Structure formats: structure tokens, C-alpha cells
PDB file of all heavy atoms in Angstrom:
ATOM      1  N   ALA B   1      51.823  31.461 223.433  1.00 94.00           N
ATOM      2  CA  ALA B   1      52.458  31.421 222.115  1.00 94.00           C
ATOM      3  C   ALA B   1      51.467  31.882 221.051  1.00 94.00           C
ATOM      4  O   ALA B   1      50.443  31.229 220.830  1.00 94.00           O
ATOM      5  CB  ALA B   1      52.958  30.018 221.808  1.00 94.00           C
ATOM      6  N   LEU B   2      51.759  32.989 220.398  1.00 91.00           N
ATOM      7  CA  LEU B   2      50.869  33.578 219.403  1.00 91.00           C
ATOM      8  C   LEU B   2      51.177  33.034 218.018  1.00 91.00           C
ATOM      9  O   LEU B   2      52.307  32.641 217.718  1.00 91.00           O
ATOM     10  CB  LEU B   2      51.022  35.101 219.403  1.00 91.00           C
ATOM     11  CG  LEU B   2      50.825  35.804 220.752  1.00 91.00           C
ATOM     12  CD1 LEU B   2      51.247  37.265 220.647  1.00 91.00           C
ATOM     13  CD2 LEU B   2      49.386  35.689 221.217  1.00 91.00           C
ATOM     14  N   THR B   3      50.143  33.036 217.157  1.00 84.00           N
ATOM     15  CA  THR B   3      50.362  32.583 215.779  1.00 84.00           C
ATOM     16  C   THR B   3      51.100  33.635 214.968  1.00 84.00           C
ATOM     17  O   THR B   3      51.882  33.314 214.081  1.00 84.00           O
ATOM     18  CB  THR B   3      49.023  32.251 215.102  1.00 84.00           C
ATOM     19  OG1 THR B   3      48.135  33.371 215.247  1.00 84.00           O
ATOM     20  CG2 THR B   3      48.391  31.024 215.719  1.00 84.00           C
ATOM     21  N   VAL B   4      50.830  34.908 215.265  1.00 77.00           N
ATOM     22  CA  VAL B   4      51.566  36.007 214.630  1.00 77.00           C
ATOM     23  C   VAL B   4      51.908  37.027 215.714  1.00 77.00           C
ATOM     24  O   VAL B   4      51.134  37.230 216.652  1.00 77.00           O
ATOM     25  CB  VAL B   4      50.739  36.690 213.508  1.00 77.00           C
ATOM     26  CG1 VAL B   4      50.571  35.766 212.323  1.00 77.00           C
ATOM     27  CG2 VAL B   4      49.389  37.163 214.017  1.00 77.00           C
ATOM     28  N   PRO B   5      53.062  37.694 215.620  1.00 75.00           N
ATOM     29  CA  PRO B   5      53.474  38.610 216.702  1.00 75.00           C
ATOM     30  C   PRO B   5      52.550  39.804 216.867  1.00 75.00           C
ATOM     31  O   PRO B   5      52.460  40.373 217.954  1.00 75.00           O
ATOM     32  CB  PRO B   5      54.879  39.058 216.272  1.00 75.00           C
ATOM     33  CG  PRO B   5      54.952  38.777 214.803  1.00 75.00           C
ATOM     34  CD  PRO B   5      54.091  37.580 214.569  1.00 75.00           C
ATOM     35  N   THR B   6      51.853  40.191 215.793  1.00 68.00           N
ATOM     36  CA  THR B   6      50.974  41.362 215.856  1.00 68.00           C
ATOM     37  C   THR B   6      49.528  40.982 216.151  1.00 68.00           C
ATOM     38  O   THR B   6      48.620  41.761 215.874  1.00 68.00           O
ATOM     39  CB  THR B   6      51.033  42.130 214.531  1.00 68.00           C
ATOM     40  OG1 THR B   6      50.729  41.224 213.457  1.00 68.00           O
ATOM     41  CG2 THR B   6      52.401  42.732 214.308  1.00 68.00           C
ATOM     42  N   CYS B   7      49.310  39.805 216.718  1.00 73.00           N
ATOM     43  CA  CYS B   7      47.949  39.321 216.989  1.00 73.00           C
ATOM     44  C   CYS B   7      47.140  40.389 217.729  1.00 73.00           C
ATOM     45  O   CYS B   7      47.500  40.784 218.848  1.00 73.00           O
ATOM     46  CB  CYS B   7      48.007  38.053 217.832  1.00 73.00           C
ATOM     47  SG  CYS B   7      46.393  37.465 218.383  1.00 73.00           S
ATOM     48  N   PRO B   8      46.036  40.882 217.141  1.00 66.00           N
ATOM     49  CA  PRO B   8      45.271  41.957 217.777  1.00 66.00           C
ATOM     50  C   PRO B   8      44.525  41.533 219.032  1.00 66.00           C
ATOM     51  O   PRO B   8      44.084  42.372 219.799  1.00 66.00           O
ATOM     52  CB  PRO B   8      44.298  42.388 216.675  1.00 66.00           C
ATOM     53  CG  PRO B   8      44.155  41.192 215.798  1.00 66.00           C
ATOM     54  CD  PRO B   8      45.478  40.502 215.834  1.00 66.00           C
ATOM     55  N   ALA B   9      44.398  40.203 219.241  1.00 77.00           N
ATOM     56  CA  ALA B   9      43.635  39.711 220.390  1.00 77.00           C
ATOM     57  C   ALA B   9      44.523  39.304 221.561  1.00 77.00           C
ATOM     58  O   ALA B   9      44.021  38.745 222.540  1.00 77.00           O
ATOM     59  CB  ALA B   9      42.763  38.522 219.956  1.00 77.00           C
ATOM     60  N   ARG B  10      45.819  39.564 221.482  1.00 87.00           N
ATOM     61  CA  ARG B  10      46.748  39.063 222.505  1.00 87.00           C
ATOM     62  C   ARG B  10      46.401  39.581 223.905  1.00 87.00           C
ATOM     63  O   ARG B  10      46.382  38.813 224.866  1.00 87.00           O
ATOM     64  CB  ARG B  10      48.197  39.408 222.141  1.00 87.00           C
ATOM     65  CG  ARG B  10      48.434  40.878 221.861  1.00 87.00           C
ATOM     66  CD  ARG B  10      49.853  41.140 221.364  1.00 87.00           C
ATOM     67  NE  ARG B  10      50.806  41.110 222.486  1.00 87.00           N
ATOM     68  CZ  ARG B  10      52.128  41.158 222.316  1.00 87.00           C
ATOM     69  NH1 ARG B  10      52.633  41.221 221.093  1.00 87.00           N
ATOM     70  NH2 ARG B  10      52.921  41.156 223.359  1.00 87.00           N
ATOM     71  N   GLU B  11      46.151  40.900 224.016  1.00 90.00           N
ATOM     72  CA  GLU B  11      45.859  41.467 225.335  1.00 90.00           C
ATOM     73  C   GLU B  11      44.515  40.977 225.867  1.00 90.00           C
ATOM     74  O   GLU B  11      44.350  40.739 227.067  1.00 90.00           O
ATOM     75  CB  GLU B  11      45.880  42.990 225.271  1.00 90.00           C
ATOM     76  CG  GLU B  11      47.225  43.581 224.881  1.00 90.00           C
ATOM     77  CD  GLU B  11      48.341  43.232 225.868  1.00 90.00           C
ATOM     78  OE1 GLU B  11      48.020  42.923 227.036  1.00 90.00           O
ATOM     79  OE2 GLU B  11      49.517  43.266 225.469  1.00 90.00           O
ATOM     80  N   GLN B  12      43.554  40.811 224.960  1.00 88.00           N
ATOM     81  CA  GLN B  12      42.245  40.302 225.382  1.00 88.00           C
ATOM     82  C   GLN B  12      42.362  38.882 225.914  1.00 88.00           C
ATOM     83  O   GLN B  12      41.798  38.546 226.965  1.00 88.00           O
ATOM     84  CB  GLN B  12      41.269  40.334 224.206  1.00 88.00           C
ATOM     85  CG  GLN B  12      39.886  39.754 224.539  1.00 88.00           C
ATOM     86  CD  GLN B  12      38.987  39.686 223.321  1.00 88.00           C
ATOM     87  OE1 GLN B  12      39.211  40.354 222.317  1.00 88.00           O
ATOM     88  NE2 GLN B  12      37.965  38.858 223.397  1.00 88.00           N
ATOM     89  N   MET B  13      43.111  38.020 225.210  1.00 93.00           N
ATOM     90  CA  MET B  13      43.282  36.640 225.663  1.00 93.00           C
ATOM     91  C   MET B  13      44.031  36.583 226.987  1.00 93.00           C
ATOM     92  O   MET B  13      43.684  35.795 227.874  1.00 93.00           O
ATOM     93  CB  MET B  13      44.007  35.821 224.590  1.00 93.00           C
ATOM     94  CG  MET B  13      43.168  35.562 223.348  1.00 93.00           C
ATOM     95  SD  MET B  13      43.938  34.405 222.186  1.00 93.00           S
ATOM     96  CE  MET B  13      45.312  35.395 221.570  1.00 93.00           C
ATOM     97  N   ALA B  14      45.050  37.430 227.132  1.00 94.00           N
ATOM     98  CA  ALA B  14      45.808  37.452 228.384  1.00 94.00           C
ATOM     99  C   ALA B  14      44.930  37.907 229.546  1.00 94.00           C
ATOM    100  O   ALA B  14      44.977  37.333 230.650  1.00 94.00           O
ATOM    101  CB  ALA B  14      47.023  38.360 228.242  1.00 94.00           C
ATOM    102  N   ALA B  15      44.116  38.917 229.307  1.00 94.00           N
ATOM    103  CA  ALA B  15      43.218  39.406 230.364  1.00 94.00           C
ATOM    104  C   ALA B  15      42.204  38.340 230.755  1.00 94.00           C
ATOM    105  O   ALA B  15      41.917  38.139 231.948  1.00 94.00           O
ATOM    106  CB  ALA B  15      42.501  40.668 229.885  1.00 94.00           C
ATOM    107  N   ASN B  16      41.662  37.640 229.762  1.00 94.00           N
ATOM    108  CA  ASN B  16      40.703  36.564 230.052  1.00 94.00           C
ATOM    109  C   ASN B  16      41.368  35.425 230.821  1.00 94.00           C
ATOM    110  O   ASN B  16      40.765  34.824 231.715  1.00 94.00           O
ATOM    111  CB  ASN B  16      40.093  36.034 228.756  1.00 94.00           C
ATOM    112  CG  ASN B  16      39.196  37.054 228.077  1.00 94.00           C
ATOM    113  OD1 ASN B  16      38.804  38.038 228.693  1.00 94.00           O
ATOM    114  ND2 ASN B  16      38.865  36.825 226.827  1.00 94.00           N
ATOM    115  N   ALA B  17      42.611  35.132 230.474  1.00 95.00           N
ATOM    116  CA  ALA B  17      43.335  34.072 231.172  1.00 95.00           C
ATOM    117  C   ALA B  17      43.562  34.454 232.633  1.00 95.00           C
ATOM    118  O   ALA B  17      43.391  33.629 233.552  1.00 95.00           O
ATOM    119  CB  ALA B  17      44.664  33.801 230.479  1.00 95.00           C
ATOM    120  N   ARG B  18      43.953  35.687 232.891  1.00 95.00           N
ATOM    121  CA  ARG B  18      44.150  36.136 234.279  1.00 95.00           C
ATOM    122  C   ARG B  18      42.852  36.052 235.075  1.00 95.00           C
ATOM    123  O   ARG B  18      42.855  35.674 236.249  1.00 95.00           O
ATOM    124  CB  ARG B  18      44.680  37.575 234.283  1.00 95.00           C
ATOM    125  CG  ARG B  18      46.094  37.729 233.750  1.00 95.00           C
ATOM    126  CD  ARG B  18      46.630  39.144 233.986  1.00 95.00           C
ATOM    127  NE  ARG B  18      47.950  39.297 233.389  1.00 95.00           N
ATOM    128  CZ  ARG B  18      48.168  39.806 232.188  1.00 95.00           C
ATOM    129  NH1 ARG B  18      47.141  40.223 231.457  1.00 95.00           N
ATOM    130  NH2 ARG B  18      49.390  39.913 231.715  1.00 95.00           N
ATOM    131  N   GLN B  19      41.759  36.381 234.408  1.00 94.00           N
ATOM    132  CA  GLN B  19      40.468  36.369 235.094  1.00 94.00           C
ATOM    133  C   GLN B  19      40.062  34.962 235.514  1.00 94.00           C
ATOM    134  O   GLN B  19      39.641  34.744 236.665  1.00 94.00           O
ATOM    135  CB  GLN B  19      39.396  36.968 234.178  1.00 94.00           C
ATOM    136  CG  GLN B  19      38.025  37.076 234.828  1.00 94.00           C
ATOM    137  CD  GLN B  19      36.999  37.726 233.914  1.00 94.00           C
ATOM    138  OE1 GLN B  19      37.256  37.976 232.753  1.00 94.00           O
ATOM    139  NE2 GLN B  19      35.823  38.010 234.453  1.00 94.00           N
ATOM    140  N   VAL B  20      40.186  33.986 234.610  1.00 94.00           N
ATOM    141  CA  VAL B  20      39.758  32.622 234.958  1.00 94.00           C
ATOM    142  C   VAL B  20      40.712  31.982 235.954  1.00 94.00           C
ATOM    143  O   VAL B  20      40.287  31.186 236.811  1.00 94.00           O
ATOM    144  CB  VAL B  20      39.613  31.732 233.694  1.00 94.00           C
ATOM    145  CG1 VAL B  20      38.558  32.287 232.757  1.00 94.00           C
ATOM    146  CG2 VAL B  20      40.939  31.552 232.971  1.00 94.00           C
ATOM    147  N   LEU B  21      41.983  32.330 235.884  1.00 95.00           N
ATOM    148  CA  LEU B  21      42.942  31.746 236.825  1.00 95.00           C
ATOM    149  C   LEU B  21      42.814  32.373 238.211  1.00 95.00           C
ATOM    150  O   LEU B  21      42.997  31.693 239.230  1.00 95.00           O
ATOM    151  CB  LEU B  21      44.374  31.917 236.301  1.00 95.00           C
ATOM    152  CG  LEU B  21      44.711  31.116 235.041  1.00 95.00           C
ATOM    153  CD1 LEU B  21      46.136  31.411 234.586  1.00 95.00           C
ATOM    154  CD2 LEU B  21      44.523  29.619 235.266  1.00 95.00           C
ATOM    155  N   ALA B  22      42.491  33.644 238.267  1.00 93.00           N
ATOM    156  CA  ALA B  22      42.320  34.313 239.561  1.00 93.00           C
ATOM    157  C   ALA B  22      41.153  33.743 240.342  1.00 93.00           C
ATOM    158  O   ALA B  22      41.106  33.856 241.583  1.00 93.00           O
ATOM    159  CB  ALA B  22      42.134  35.814 239.346  1.00 93.00           C
ATOM    160  N   ALA B  23      40.213  33.110 239.639  1.00 92.00           N
ATOM    161  CA  ALA B  23      39.051  32.520 240.310  1.00 92.00           C
ATOM    162  C   ALA B  23      39.369  31.170 240.945  1.00 92.00           C
ATOM    163  O   ALA B  23      38.554  30.647 241.726  1.00 92.00           O
ATOM    164  CB  ALA B  23      37.904  32.366 239.302  1.00 92.00           C
ATOM    165  N   LEU B  24      40.536  30.596 240.644  1.00 93.00           N
ATOM    166  CA  LEU B  24      40.911  29.313 241.231  1.00 93.00           C
ATOM    167  C   LEU B  24      41.367  29.509 242.682  1.00 93.00           C
ATOM    168  O   LEU B  24      41.929  30.548 243.033  1.00 93.00           O
ATOM    169  CB  LEU B  24      42.047  28.673 240.418  1.00 93.00           C
ATOM    170  CG  LEU B  24      41.702  28.267 238.979  1.00 93.00           C
ATOM    171  CD1 LEU B  24      42.952  27.748 238.267  1.00 93.00           C
ATOM    172  CD2 LEU B  24      40.608  27.205 238.962  1.00 93.00           C
ATOM    173  N   PRO B  25      41.162  28.499 243.524  1.00 90.00           N
ATOM    174  CA  PRO B  25      41.574  28.627 244.940  1.00 90.00           C
ATOM    175  C   PRO B  25      43.092  28.728 245.083  1.00 90.00           C
ATOM    176  O   PRO B  25      43.835  28.073 244.353  1.00 90.00           O
ATOM    177  CB  PRO B  25      41.037  27.341 245.579  1.00 90.00           C
ATOM    178  CG  PRO B  25      40.854  26.391 244.445  1.00 90.00           C
ATOM    179  CD  PRO B  25      40.488  27.213 243.258  1.00 90.00           C
ATOM    180  N   ASP B  26      43.515  29.577 246.001  1.00 88.00           N
ATOM    181  CA  ASP B  26      44.925  29.724 246.381  1.00 88.00           C
ATOM    182  C   ASP B  26      45.806  30.390 245.317  1.00 88.00           C
ATOM    183  O   ASP B  26      47.028  30.423 245.470  1.00 88.00           O
ATOM    184  CB  ASP B  26      45.542  28.357 246.756  1.00 88.00           C
ATOM    185  CG  ASP B  26      44.802  27.691 247.897  1.00 88.00           C
ATOM    186  OD1 ASP B  26      44.367  28.411 248.817  1.00 88.00           O
ATOM    187  OD2 ASP B  26      44.631  26.454 247.855  1.00 88.00           O
ATOM    188  N   VAL B  27      45.207  30.896 244.245  1.00 92.00           N
ATOM    189  CA  VAL B  27      46.015  31.584 243.229  1.00 92.00           C
ATOM    190  C   VAL B  27      46.173  33.057 243.647  1.00 92.00           C
ATOM    191  O   VAL B  27      45.193  33.777 243.814  1.00 92.00           O
ATOM    192  CB  VAL B  27      45.364  31.494 241.834  1.00 92.00           C
ATOM    193  CG1 VAL B  27      46.127  32.372 240.835  1.00 92.00           C
ATOM    194  CG2 VAL B  27      45.339  30.054 241.359  1.00 92.00           C
ATOM    195  N   LYS B  28      47.427  33.479 243.813  1.00 92.00           N
ATOM    196  CA  LYS B  28      47.718  34.833 244.282  1.00 92.00           C
ATOM    197  C   LYS B  28      48.190  35.764 243.161  1.00 92.00           C
ATOM    198  O   LYS B  28      47.987  36.971 243.220  1.00 92.00           O
ATOM    199  CB  LYS B  28      48.809  34.797 245.366  1.00 92.00           C
ATOM    200  CG  LYS B  28      48.516  33.851 246.515  1.00 92.00           C
ATOM    201  CD  LYS B  28      47.263  34.272 247.278  1.00 92.00           C
ATOM    202  CE  LYS B  28      47.035  33.343 248.484  1.00 92.00           C
ATOM    203  NZ  LYS B  28      45.752  33.641 249.176  1.00 92.00           N
ATOM    204  N   GLN B  29      48.833  35.186 242.145  1.00 94.00           N
ATOM    205  CA  GLN B  29      49.423  36.011 241.098  1.00 94.00           C
ATOM    206  C   GLN B  29      49.448  35.217 239.789  1.00 94.00           C
ATOM    207  O   GLN B  29      49.660  34.012 239.784  1.00 94.00           O
ATOM    208  CB  GLN B  29      50.852  36.421 241.497  1.00 94.00           C
ATOM    209  CG  GLN B  29      51.537  37.352 240.504  1.00 94.00           C
ATOM    210  CD  GLN B  29      52.953  37.689 240.938  1.00 94.00           C
ATOM    211  OE1 GLN B  29      53.394  37.321 242.040  1.00 94.00           O
ATOM    212  NE2 GLN B  29      53.692  38.385 240.089  1.00 94.00           N
ATOM    213  N   VAL B  30      49.230  35.933 238.674  1.00 95.00           N
ATOM    214  CA  VAL B  30      49.301  35.310 237.348  1.00 95.00           C
ATOM    215  C   VAL B  30      50.257  36.126 236.490  1.00 95.00           C
ATOM    216  O   VAL B  30      50.096  37.338 236.330  1.00 95.00           O
ATOM    217  CB  VAL B  30      47.909  35.257 236.671  1.00 95.00           C
ATOM    218  CG1 VAL B  30      48.036  34.654 235.263  1.00 95.00           C
ATOM    219  CG2 VAL B  30      46.941  34.446 237.514  1.00 95.00           C
ATOM    220  N   GLU B  31      51.252  35.471 235.958  1.00 96.00           N
ATOM    221  CA  GLU B  31      52.251  36.150 235.124  1.00 96.00           C
ATOM    222  C   GLU B  31      52.239  35.505 233.739  1.00 96.00           C
ATOM    223  O   GLU B  31      52.432  34.289 233.605  1.00 96.00           O
ATOM    224  CB  GLU B  31      53.633  36.023 235.759  1.00 96.00           C
ATOM    225  CG  GLU B  31      54.728  36.764 235.013  1.00 96.00           C
ATOM    226  CD  GLU B  31      56.061  36.655 235.728  1.00 96.00           C
ATOM    227  OE1 GLU B  31      56.225  37.320 236.778  1.00 96.00           O
ATOM    228  OE2 GLU B  31      56.925  35.885 235.247  1.00 96.00           O
ATOM    229  N   ILE B  32      52.000  36.320 232.701  1.00 96.00           N
ATOM    230  CA  ILE B  32      51.901  35.808 231.333  1.00 96.00           C
ATOM    231  C   ILE B  32      52.921  36.516 230.451  1.00 96.00           C
ATOM    232  O   ILE B  32      52.959  37.750 230.389  1.00 96.00           O
ATOM    233  CB  ILE B  32      50.483  36.027 230.757  1.00 96.00           C
ATOM    234  CG1 ILE B  32      49.446  35.331 231.637  1.00 96.00           C
ATOM    235  CG2 ILE B  32      50.397  35.501 229.319  1.00 96.00           C
ATOM    236  CD1 ILE B  32      48.007  35.617 231.218  1.00 96.00           C
ATOM    237  N   ALA B  33      53.753  35.718 229.796  1.00 95.00           N
ATOM    238  CA  ALA B  33      54.695  36.250 228.807  1.00 95.00           C
ATOM    239  C   ALA B  33      54.188  35.869 227.412  1.00 95.00           C
ATOM    240  O   ALA B  33      53.479  34.867 227.255  1.00 95.00           O
ATOM    241  CB  ALA B  33      56.092  35.679 229.040  1.00 95.00           C
ATOM    242  N   PHE B  34      54.531  36.669 226.421  1.00 95.00           N
ATOM    243  CA  PHE B  34      54.122  36.370 225.053  1.00 95.00           C
ATOM    244  C   PHE B  34      55.274  35.735 224.286  1.00 95.00           C
ATOM    245  O   PHE B  34      56.425  36.168 224.380  1.00 95.00           O
ATOM    246  CB  PHE B  34      53.669  37.641 224.328  1.00 95.00           C
ATOM    247  CG  PHE B  34      52.395  38.223 224.879  1.00 95.00           C
ATOM    248  CD1 PHE B  34      52.407  39.407 225.601  1.00 95.00           C
ATOM    249  CD2 PHE B  34      51.181  37.577 224.684  1.00 95.00           C
ATOM    250  CE1 PHE B  34      51.238  39.949 226.111  1.00 95.00           C
ATOM    251  CE2 PHE B  34      50.008  38.106 225.196  1.00 95.00           C
ATOM    252  CZ  PHE B  34      50.033  39.290 225.909  1.00 95.00           C
ATOM    253  N   GLY B  35      54.939  34.691 223.542  1.00 94.00           N
ATOM    254  CA  GLY B  35      55.906  34.035 222.679  1.00 94.00           C
ATOM    255  C   GLY B  35      55.338  33.873 221.286  1.00 94.00           C
ATOM    256  O   GLY B  35      54.273  34.380 220.970  1.00 94.00           O
ATOM    257  N   MET B  36      56.058  33.143 220.441  1.00 92.00           N
ATOM    258  CA  MET B  36      55.634  32.942 219.059  1.00 92.00           C
ATOM    259  C   MET B  36      55.683  31.470 218.697  1.00 92.00           C
ATOM    260  O   MET B  36      56.600  30.748 219.080  1.00 92.00           O
ATOM    261  CB  MET B  36      56.574  33.703 218.117  1.00 92.00           C
ATOM    262  CG  MET B  36      56.089  35.090 217.766  1.00 92.00           C
ATOM    263  SD  MET B  36      54.645  35.024 216.678  1.00 92.00           S
ATOM    264  CE  MET B  36      55.378  34.297 215.233  1.00 92.00           C
ATOM    265  N   MET B  37      54.656  31.012 217.978  1.00 91.00           N
ATOM    266  CA  MET B  37      54.697  29.678 217.403  1.00 91.00           C
ATOM    267  C   MET B  37      55.728  29.638 216.272  1.00 91.00           C
ATOM    268  O   MET B  37      56.003  30.660 215.634  1.00 91.00           O
ATOM    269  CB  MET B  37      53.332  29.292 216.834  1.00 91.00           C
ATOM    270  CG  MET B  37      52.259  29.027 217.862  1.00 91.00           C
ATOM    271  SD  MET B  37      50.751  28.425 217.032  1.00 91.00           S
ATOM    272  CE  MET B  37      49.708  28.142 218.478  1.00 91.00           C
TER     273      MET B  37
END
């Protein structure tokens, strides 16, 4: 959930989230959708 729809850091945060979650055991896929506060 973004604070503003045009958040310039959205893709960076999503990429970082995929990276940290992929390092967890047994995680095969990470799917992230964007929403709005």
C-alpha cells in the first residue's frame, strides 16, 4: 500500500521485498500487487 500512487520508490521497494523473501526457506515465488493508503 503506497502513500501516493506515483511513489518513485515503489519498484525499488518491491524489488527489495522480493530479494529478502526469496532468501527464506521454502519460498518459491513472490507476488506483489500495488495498492493505495
